[in-house]
Amino acid sequence: MHTETVQIIQSKLMRFSARALVEEQRRARQLLTGDARLGRKESQATLEELRGLLSDAAEIFLPDAVQENIYANDSGTHLLPGWIKKAFVSIRVNGVVRPGCLEDVRLFVKRASEKGQTYTVRGAGTWPFGGAVPVQDDWVLDLSLLDFMELDKDEDRLIFGAGALFPNIRAYLKKEGYTLRQEITNPNSGTLAGWIATGGLGLGAYKYGPVKNSVDMLLVLRPDGTMEALTPEDEAFDLFFGSEGQTGLILGGALRVRRESFVSKAYAFSFEKTEDAHSYMQRLREAEILPTSVIYFDRAYIAETARIEAAHLNAAAGRAMEAERSASLEEWRENKALVEELESCAHVLVMHFDTAEDYEKALKTRLFGASRRAMRIRQLTFRQLSTELAHHLWDHRFLPVQMKQNGPSMLVSETILPLENFTAYQSLVRPFLSLLMKVELKTEAHLLPDGNMLIQSIVLADMRTVRHKIYFALVPLMTQAAIYFGAVPYGIGIWNYPFLKALRKKHPEKIAALEAARARFKESALLNRGKFLNPSGLRWLYRLFARIAPRVNHWFVATTHKRRQGKKDLLAYPVQKLAWKLSGFMVRHAIPSDLRKKEAPLERLLAACAECDSCERSCPTSDVFGMYGPATPITRRKTAERLVAGETLTGEEAEGFLACTRCDNCVRICPADVPLTQIFDLVEADARFNLALNKTADQKETFVGRFWQIMKESPNYRKHTHAVQTDKRSHLEHGLKIIYPRGYEYGSLFIDPESCIHCGMC
């Protein structure tokens, strides 16, 4: 890339400011609650100093109880029992800075390096291994406001900021006739910059390689506050991919995208055995066929998905019959046939082609045939699934977390394993878990172009039960089993720290290069403590666990593998057999599966949440009042959790439930089917909520009326109206009359036909 082009991209990123958005959100909060500030309403020396240092576009605050809970968790950390987190690492948030421009980031990092201030960088907080979780009073540097995007059509290149989210990128590119070459499986959250920092593997990687292959330039900030623009020609460029923020912050960059070909050809095949699916993938590689992605789902994963789809189907049938809609009933019949075909599947491979040339080449091989046809190549037998089911399964690529609702906890081990050892790993772990704990392993795996597989080994559990709390031990055990067969963990963060040694052994050159890069800046010790190569902030007990647990698990895995091969070591075998028998007895007999506390409906509904952040990104009140502000889905859900825990709510927390449009965006978009608005209704029916709210019916109505007036006047609500805008203000401002029936019913809005502007919200 030419130096001039790099400078232009850097200049565009530097000019971006979220000032207009932030000012409008402050105005909305001021009008709603009488205070524009986020978080606790108290002063602190560092807080005031930062407010004087950074621009007006930055949000700087001390988190309240709900916000602290949000920033202290991610999609994996929230599952861990509190006593484990306290024993292993002290998770505490000092304060939060949301920079409104890149100069704010630079000034904050520069000040941190001078003052010795520790901090953790956070994008969307959707990674499950604690990579964005602050330890021991770190400040959180939340980059979510830096969501700059601009498409250069001449170069087929997207310029992106550190806070640019995948769903927004997809929508923006689609409108321009473009699409991503590689992306993550999270449908509604996750930042591109964060994905780069964690490795950049996922969808599209089989054809286009890791995301590194598509990045033309990165703008980074070193731990001492110096800014650099890096291109693939620079030695330091590669180090930022999978660095987990250890070498500095990714502020943005330039990503090659492709023009939308409007070719989306999905194929799916069912195999009776893992070995057959493995053999097919090897043949696919040998034939040099290039689908964008090749995804494997094992039999248990498919069965769980079929159960969920059947439940959705039954619910849809009930709604259709209740409404007497013949078109919906016909659609139900078609979907029923699809679910029945899914139920007949075993181990499934799904692949997708994005060009006619690629899939036409595939059709010339014996690996592809006619829909619903049984096929055989020597000893390999398989069945090609219908085109409809193939596309349905391809669409399912964004919903791996969907099955969490049946847990409602989902424990995941994520590793990169050589394809040649995939069958051996599955053959050991699957019966291992079944015999030991009566646990069914579910597997999703992505084939990578270098002959490896990105594997998610999934166990559904219920962390509210005594017995299932033991299942936490299965995650490091599954990871260690994969390492035994030549794998490395995909990401370290906090919770994969015990497996850093395995990564160091597998990729010594990369780890050495990262450590050398860190050594250049003494300020590296301040950044992302307790994560990856920076163990400062981890308690001694966790460090001890990290030394002992892998050794114990390795011995257990190795001995079990040898025993399954008929090799019975005279010393190890009796000890391992005794440990096996004792563990199996304890789990299946001494600790009954029904040891759980009696749960309330509210607790049951909250349990399935995956902390994926999808609801926050789709909520109109989050856009109007600010993320994690007084009126957003996550703050309401976290408040509901506080209510379940018996904690006392504040009046402001209670008011957040009144400031809800009940548009059900959060419900529709939730991959785990969490009925958020039902949860909100249950909270409002609780006497403790009304005690905290402390409002009469008239005061409630006045508050809700003010809330809706603010919404109507906010330009940040505009995109949620689906209407063409003719000025800078919301269409809903123009004479819309909202009537609340039965005195006070803000859950359903009745529109006066005379003033209806056909905004599409209904």
Side-chain angles (χ1 to χ4, degrees):
M1 184 182 288
H2 296 300
T3 303
E4 183 181 352
T5 305
V6 171
Q7 291 173 346
I8 291 172
I9 293 172
Q10 181 172 347
S11 175
K12 288 182 177 183
L13 289 168
M14 290 297 295
R15 285 200 304 268
F16 172 78
S17 174
R19 182 187 299 274
L21 172 68
V22 170
E23 287 180 348
E24 186 59 42
Q25 289 174 343
R26 286 175 183 155
R27 173 183 170 276
R29 291 196 297 270
Q30 180 71 42
L31 290 171
L32 184 68
T33 67
D35 196 328
R37 294 173 296 175
L38 288 168
R40 303 198 306 272
K41 309 304 187 276
E42 58 187 67
S43 184
Q44 186 199 76
T46 302
L47 184 76
E48 300 307 324
E49 184 181 346
L50 286 169
R51 283 176 175 165
L53 178 67
L54 306 186
S55 74
D56 290 340
E59 291 280 25
I60 308 159
F61 58 96
L62 304 178
D64 59 27
V66 169
Q67 291 162 339
E68 185 163 1
N69 187 302
I70 294 169
Y71 281 108
N73 283 291
D74 56 26
S75 60
T77 303
H78 81 286
L79 287 173
L80 291 169
W83 67 268
I84 289 182
K85 288 186 273 193
K86 288 179 181 178
F88 283 176
V89 56
S90 175
I91 298 176
R92 290 200 304 270
V93 187
N94 193 329
V96 178
V97 172
R98 284 186 198 154
C101 61
L102 294 192
E103 181 62 12
D104 285 340
V105 185
R106 190 190 70 79
L107 289 172
F108 173 85
V109 172
K110 184 70 174 175
R111 179 195 173 278
S113 69
E114 293 169 352
K115 302 274 188 178
Q117 176 67 62
T118 60
Y119 60 100
T120 290
V121 182
R122 184 181 179 100
T126 56
W127 202 44
F129 303 118
V133 173
V135 302
Q136 295 185 348
D137 287 324
D138 281 355
W139 276 73
V140 174
L141 186 59
D142 179 349
L143 304 179
S144 57
L145 289 175
L146 306 176
D147 58 351
F148 176 77
M149 282 177 281
E150 184 177 303
L151 180 64
D152 181 349
K153 292 187 176 182
D154 293 333
E155 299 293 335
D156 293 344
R157 182 185 291 142
L158 175 73
I159 305 170
F160 64 93
L165 292 164
F166 273 98
N168 297 343
I169 292 172
R170 292 185 198 112
Y172 173 68
L173 290 177
K174 184 177 181 180
K175 190 166 64 175
E176 300 293 334
Y178 281 77
T179 189
L180 291 164
R181 288 158 40 115
Q182 306 101 331
E183 58 177 314
I184 58 174
T185 56
N186 189 323
N188 305 305
S189 194
T191 63
L192 175 54
W195 190 48
I196 289 171
T198 55
L201 295 176
L203 297 170
Y206 186 72
K207 178 176 180 178
Y208 297 107
V211 72
K212 182 177 71 173
N213 293 3
S214 295
V215 176
D216 287 337
M217 174 257 192
L218 287 177
L219 183 62
V220 303
L221 188 68
R222 295 295 193 173
D224 65 347
T226 57
M227 201 174 289
E228 293 181 47
L230 302 175
T231 63
E233 292 75 31
D234 293 305
E235 185 179 350
F237 180 80
D238 286 358
L239 291 180
F240 278 84
F241 295 86
S243 66
E244 302 183 30
Q246 294 293 301
T247 54
L249 288 70
I250 298 173
L251 301 179
L255 179 80
R256 268 175 286 135
V257 294
R258 64 180 179 85
R259 294 178 186 273
E260 181 61 81
S261 64
F262 301 102
V263 172
S264 179
K265 194 70 174 175
Y267 288 90
F269 304 89
S270 178
F271 306 83
E272 285 303 313
K273 298 181 294 183
T274 304
E275 292 85 345
D276 291 339
H278 180 199
S279 175
Y280 186 97
M281 286 187 279
Q282 288 179 319
R283 291 172 185 268
L284 193 75
R285 283 172 47 79
E286 292 166 2
E288 298 182 348
I289 295 170
L290 283 180
T292 60
S293 298
V294 181
I295 310 174
Y296 166 84
F297 302 110
D298 72 0
R299 187 191 299 268
Y301 190 110
I302 290 295
E304 195 71 38
T305 302
R307 282 191 285 271
I308 294 171
E309 293 292 333
H312 288 171
L313 189 67
N314 291 335
R319 290 192 298 269
M321 287 187 286
E322 184 179 341
E324 297 182 353
R325 293 195 299 264
S326 57
S328 297
L329 286 171
E330 183 58 35
E331 183 182 355
W332 173 82
R333 292 187 188 96
E334 294 174 2
N335 290 336
K336 185 173 185 294
L338 211 62
V339 171
E340 288 172 349
E341 184 182 2
L342 181 63
E343 290 171 338
S344 71
C345 295
H347 302 271
V348 171
L349 281 179
V350 182
M351 60 197 74
H352 170 262
F353 295 91
D354 61 356
T355 68
E357 180 183 1
D358 286 335
Y359 79 75
E360 285 170 0
K361 178 182 177 181
L363 291 177
K364 294 176 183 178
T365 70
R366 297 176 62 195
L367 296 171
F368 293 77
S371 178
R372 295 188 175 92
R373 177 186 168 190
M375 304 173 69
R376 183 184 184 93
I377 304 176
R378 296 182 181 176
Q379 301 303 314
L380 173 62
T381 59
F382 56 98
R383 175 166 54 94
Q384 185 164 321
L385 304 178
S386 68
T387 302
E388 294 81 8
L389 183 56
H391 279 282
H392 187 77
L393 287 168
W394 174 244
D395 291 340
H396 192 273
R397 70 194 183 278
F398 286 131
L399 295 174
V401 78
Q402 184 185 47
M403 66 175 65
K404 187 179 185 296
Q405 59 190 287
N406 289 353
S409 304
M410 189 167 79
L411 308 179
V412 181
S413 166
E414 199 163 2
T415 55
I416 302 172
L417 178 78
L419 173 61
E420 61 190 27
N421 295 334
F422 175 61
T423 300
Y425 167 72
Q426 290 281 296
S427 299
L428 176 69
V429 175
R430 193 177 289 136
F432 185 91
L433 299 182
S434 177
L435 292 171
L436 183 64
M437 290 188 172
K438 297 293 183 184
V439 172
E440 189 175 51
L441 176 70
K442 298 168 179 63
T443 305
E444 175 186 340
H446 295 250
L447 184 60
L448 302 176
D450 60 358
N452 287 315
M453 296 193 76
L454 176 60
I455 298 177
Q456 286 188 335
S457 299
I458 302 167
V459 169
L460 294 182
D462 187 347
M463 292 299 105
R464 299 166 298 175
T465 68
V466 174
R467 174 172 168 177
H468 284 206
K469 282 183 170 62
I470 301 172
Y471 290 4
F472 275 117
L474 296 180
V475 177
L477 189 62
M478 290 188 294
T479 302
Q480 192 64 52
I483 290 171
Y484 178 78
F485 288 105
V488 292
Y490 180 52
I492 297 295
I494 292 176
W495 308 119
N496 270 341
Y497 177 68
F499 308 110
L500 178 58
K501 184 178 179 180
L503 185 64
R504 192 185 297 274
K505 183 178 180 181
K506 186 86 170 183
H507 301 295
E509 298 86 0
K510 180 174 181 178
I511 298 300
L514 280 171
E515 288 177 330
R518 278 176 46 79
R520 285 180 52 204
F521 303 95
K522 67 179 187 302
E523 299 87 355
S524 295
L526 305 173
L527 170 62
N528 285 359
R529 293 189 304 159
K531 305 162 189 74
F532 199 9
L533 299 176
N534 187 357
S536 60
L538 300 179
R539 295 191 188 277
W540 68 267
L541 185 61
Y542 189 32
R543 294 175 190 239
L544 181 64
F545 173 83
R547 294 177 67 88
I548 296 174
R551 289 179 169 86
V552 173
N553 284 334
H554 174 80
W555 172 81
F556 206 71
V557 169
T559 309
T560 301
H561 184 233
K562 290 175 182 177
R563 185 160 65 92
R564 287 178 59 83
Q565 291 179 316
K567 302 174 183 177
K568 299 182 179 180
D569 184 271
L570 291 177
L571 178 62
Y573 173 65
V575 177
Q576 195 262 3
K577 184 177 181 180
L578 177 63
W580 180 280
K581 294 289 187 183
L582 185 62
S583 299
F585 176 82
M586 289 292 292
V587 172
R588 283 182 278 172
H589 302 288
I591 307 176
S593 60
D594 59 350
L595 281 180
R596 69 167 70 190
K597 62 181 180 180
K598 188 176 180 180
E599 61 180 4
L602 187 58
E603 183 180 9
R604 175 177 53 80
L605 295 174
L606 285 165
C609 177
E611 301 277 347
C612 69
D613 221 19
S614 297
C615 55
E616 192 79 3
R617 309 299 177 177
S618 66
C619 178
T621 57
S622 180
D623 287 339
V624 171
F625 298 102
M627 190 174 70
Y628 311 150
T632 74
I634 288 185
T635 53
R636 286 189 282 266
R637 179 174 54 75
K638 291 290 185 181
T639 300
E641 290 177 0
R642 278 165 44 78
L643 195 69
V644 168
E647 299 177 29
T648 302
L649 305 188
T650 66
E652 186 177 90
E653 288 172 344
E655 286 179 344
F657 286 82
L658 302 187
C660 173
T661 66
R662 293 303 199 269
C663 65
D664 271 356
N665 275 0
C666 54
V667 176
R668 284 189 292 271
I669 208 165
C670 179
D673 292 337
V674 177
L676 282 162
T677 49
Q678 183 183 348
I679 289 171
F680 303 158
D681 290 338
L682 286 172
V683 169
E684 291 187 50
D686 193 291
R688 293 169 295 172
F689 166 84
N690 288 293
L691 185 65
L693 184 64
N694 193 27
K695 289 185 186 297
T696 65
D698 287 343
Q699 288 172 327
K700 277 185 180 180
E701 188 168 348
T702 299
F703 181 87
V704 174
R706 183 166 72 250
F707 158 71
W708 269 110
Q709 192 61 37
I710 295 167
M711 294 292 288
K712 290 188 294 179
E713 293 176 355
S714 173
N716 297 330
Y717 188 42
R718 189 184 313 154
K719 68 179 182 180
H720 295 279
T721 67
H722 307 295
V724 177
Q725 302 301 312
T726 56
D727 55 36
K728 293 182 179 179
R729 309 182 78 176
S730 170
H731 241 39
L732 291 185
E733 179 186 25
H734 301 297
L736 183 63
K737 181 181 178 183
I738 299 175
I739 303 171
Y740 300 100
R742 297 183 297 280
Y744 183 70
E745 176 78 18
Y746 63 90
S748 301
L749 299 182
F750 289 76
I751 310 301
D752 179 0
E754 294 180 4
S755 62
C756 177
I757 59 170
H758 306 288
C759 67
M761 277 299 290
C762 59

